[in-house]
Amino acid sequence: MNTFLYQVVSIDGDYANLRRMDIESDQLKLVARALLPPEITEGTKLKYEWLQYEILPEEEGNGGFSAVELIVTLAVMTFLICVSVPLILGYVDKNRVTADKQTLDLVQKSVSVALADPRLENIENSGCPSPGCVLRLDRREDFPGKFGELVAQKLGYDSVEGMTARREGIISQLRMTDAALITVKINKDGSCGETCVLSGEGDVLLTVD
């Protein structure tokens, strides 16, 4: 005896319109409700066998993914992951560089403003750095006197100690993976010059002139 699969398309009074599921067909079959299970609704899947209609268990109407479908799905997912991961990592790295550049800009501006402060001219031992030297943002001794206080204030710190602290200071705000130090070069004319982010091994990772 042949077995046929149907789906209830619509119910009209004492009749229901069924469509074959096991073959491609747009043709509807009109069946009396008396021949069908009473609990059917539109969308119910039926199996016709031995002159009887019975509701098709969900798993029988949908066999799930075949092995080929699973392989194709996994292949597509793997491809998407391989393509998206480098893009995401590149985006993260770009954001880190952008964040560190903003930090360098802030440091350079703060040092420049401090160097130009007219109050330093009238203070003995103001702490102004010597022309041509390089300041390290992790060394308290590089920011003495009023000059150090001004730089710390411009960077939002209450003290030079807080600004140069390894864990809480300005260096802790660096985001690039190998970033370990910020340096500021003082030009020969006494102005603020090149500001850099260095790695732990001393390699220049980012520079703001």
Side-chain angles (χ1 to χ4, degrees):
M1 179 67 67
N2 291 332
T3 299
F4 304 106
L5 301 180
Y6 293 95
Q7 184 172 26
V8 179
V9 176
S10 62
I11 297 175
D12 185 11
D14 293 331
Y15 295 90
N17 289 301
L18 310 183
R19 177 184 289 121
R20 286 281 295 272
M21 294 172 51
D22 47 355
I23 61 171
E24 289 291 336
S25 175
D26 293 328
Q27 193 172 17
L28 299 181
K29 178 180 180 181
L30 189 64
V31 179
R33 287 286 304 277
L35 300 176
L36 302 173
E39 60 269 28
I40 65 166
T41 58
E42 291 184 4
T44 300
K45 297 175 183 178
L46 302 170
K47 178 170 69 174
Y48 178 77
E49 191 175 37
W50 298 104
L51 304 177
Q52 290 186 342
Y53 290 92
E54 61 181 44
I55 295 177
L56 191 66
E58 189 64 29
E59 62 272 11
E60 193 171 337
N62 181 8
F65 290 109
S66 67
V68 173
E69 290 172 330
L70 285 174
I71 291 172
V72 171
T73 301
L74 290 174
V76 171
M77 291 178 64
T78 301
F79 172 76
L80 292 175
I81 291 172
C82 291
V83 170
S84 61
V85 167
L87 293 176
I88 293 172
L89 292 178
Y91 177 76
V92 171
D93 288 341
K94 183 178 179 181
N95 281 350
R96 287 175 176 172
V97 172
T98 299
D100 285 355
K101 185 179 183 303
Q102 291 174 346
T103 300
L104 282 191
D105 287 336
L106 179 60
V107 169
Q108 188 179 60
K109 181 178 179 181
S110 299
V111 173
S112 296
V113 171
L115 288 172
D117 195 306
R119 290 174 292 178
L120 297 181
E121 298 177 0
N122 303 319
I123 300 177
E124 188 176 354
N125 300 323
S126 63
C128 282
S130 303
C133 73
V134 176
L135 308 178
R136 290 174 50 131
L137 267 294
D138 65 338
R139 289 196 305 215
R140 167 68 182 84
E141 57 269 26
D142 286 1
F143 296 88
K146 187 63 176 179
F147 166 73
E149 293 178 10
L150 290 173
V151 174
Q153 290 173 6
K154 296 298 180 182
L155 290 175
Y157 291 91
D158 295 331
S159 65
V160 175
E161 286 80 4
M163 177 185 72
T164 55
R166 272 283 177 179
R167 293 186 178 180
E168 297 84 16
I170 190 68
I171 291 175
S172 68
Q173 298 182 27
L174 294 175
R175 295 292 175 259
M176 288 188 292
T177 304
D178 298 327
L181 179 63
I182 297 175
T183 62
V184 181
K185 183 178 180 180
I186 304 301
N187 295 325
K188 292 183 179 180
D189 62 1
S191 62
C192 181
E194 187 178 70
T195 307
C196 301
V197 173
L198 305 182
S199 69
E201 297 179 354
D203 298 324
V204 177
L205 303 178
L206 185 63
T207 301
V208 173
D209 295 323

